[in-house]
Amino acid sequence: MVFMTLRERKRLRTRQAILTAATDLFERHGYTETTLDDIAAAAEISKRAIFSYFASKEDLLFPESDARIGAAIGAIAARQPGDGPVQVLLRAMTTSAQESDDLTGRRAALRLRLMRTVPAVRGRALQHQFDAQREIARHLAAVFPADLSPISAAALTGAFIGAVTGVLDLFFEEQEPPQDPVELRATLLRVTQMALTPWLDTSSGERDLSSDI
């Protein structure tokens, strides 16, 4: 268990209050119609305090992006003997989805809807995806030099991120998050692994990860 100081716990609660307020207001009033003043009032903090946690209004929809990049890099660094590049990426995705519902829950559905209709949100999403692809690909190429060149590492990472985004976008296009998050995580993992089948190298120990959920 990670010990947190009183100050750290207070910051975590404030951060969560900001996110909850933003999500509620975006859903009820719309992204463009909601101001940072509205969010600050709902979270019972000052508008200025929001910028201690988030750099922009758009970033309120992407609170776990850096954490997911960190999870991927951590999975690469902690790879097990016989692991291949695809397996560590799928494990990172599974871990992130289990630890937070940001990828598959209410905020994910809202984020994907707004990406379709709000240019600023779509632009921020593309920037996050670009940053994630470059950082993850760089680590993959460094750790798996016998399997991946910098170019193929970038291609694999792009395929991985594109598959996850595509699956979630299609899933949330016509329905709200399912009652059973485990079912959605299993579907996401299964379909993403299917999309990455061309990258699987059975000789390096790649396997079906559905049993890890």
Side-chain angles (χ1 to χ4, degrees), residues 115-136:
M115 283 167 58
R116 301 186 198 106
T117 58
V118 181
V121 175
R122 184 162 56 249
R124 177 59 80 183
L126 291 172
Q127 183 63 57
H128 280 300
Q129 290 179 4
F130 179 73
D131 292 344
Q133 180 172 333
R134 290 194 62 176
E135 190 68 11
I136 294 170

Side-chain angles (χ1 to χ4, degrees), residues 50-174:
I50 292 177
F51 294 105
S52 296
Y53 299 85
F54 301 97
S56 69
K57 181 180 173 182
E58 290 77 27
D59 284 327
L60 292 167
L61 291 163
F62 303 91
E64 304 298 333
S65 293
D66 289 344
R68 282 196 291 275
I69 294 174
I73 293 172
I76 294 168
R79 67 196 182 284
Q80 301 171 10
D83 278 353
V86 172
Q87 188 167 1
V88 296
L89 291 177
L90 292 175
R91 182 177 296 119
M93 181 186 70
T94 301
T95 300
S96 294
Q98 289 173 338
E99 293 180 349
S100 170
D101 69 351
D102 182 73
L103 190 64
T104 57
R106 173 188 172 196
R107 188 180 300 111
L110 172 65
R111 178 170 59 238
L112 286 163
R113 287 199 302 270
L114 294 176
M115 283 167 58
R116 301 186 198 106
T117 58
V118 181
V121 175
R122 184 162 56 249
R124 177 59 80 183
L126 291 172
Q127 183 63 57
H128 280 300
Q129 290 179 4
F130 179 73
D131 292 344
Q133 180 172 333
R134 290 194 62 176
E135 190 68 11
I136 294 170
R138 182 172 66 83
H139 282 80
L140 282 176
V143 169
F144 296 101
D147 301 308
L148 298 171
S149 68
I151 292 176
S152 59
L156 169 58
T157 308
F160 170 68
I161 293 173
V164 172
T165 303
V167 169
L168 293 176
D169 183 56
L170 184 61
F171 190 91
F172 287 127
E173 186 174 12
E174 297 181 353

Side-chain angles (χ1 to χ4, degrees), residues 175-202:
Q175 57 183 302
E176 292 299 312
Q179 294 298 314
D180 184 4
V182 175
E183 179 183 351
L184 176 54
R185 291 200 300 266
T187 300
L188 177 61
L189 179 61
R190 183 172 61 254
V191 177
T192 302
Q193 183 167 330
M194 186 183 306
L196 298 181
T197 295
W199 295 92
L200 291 173
D201 177 6
T202 54

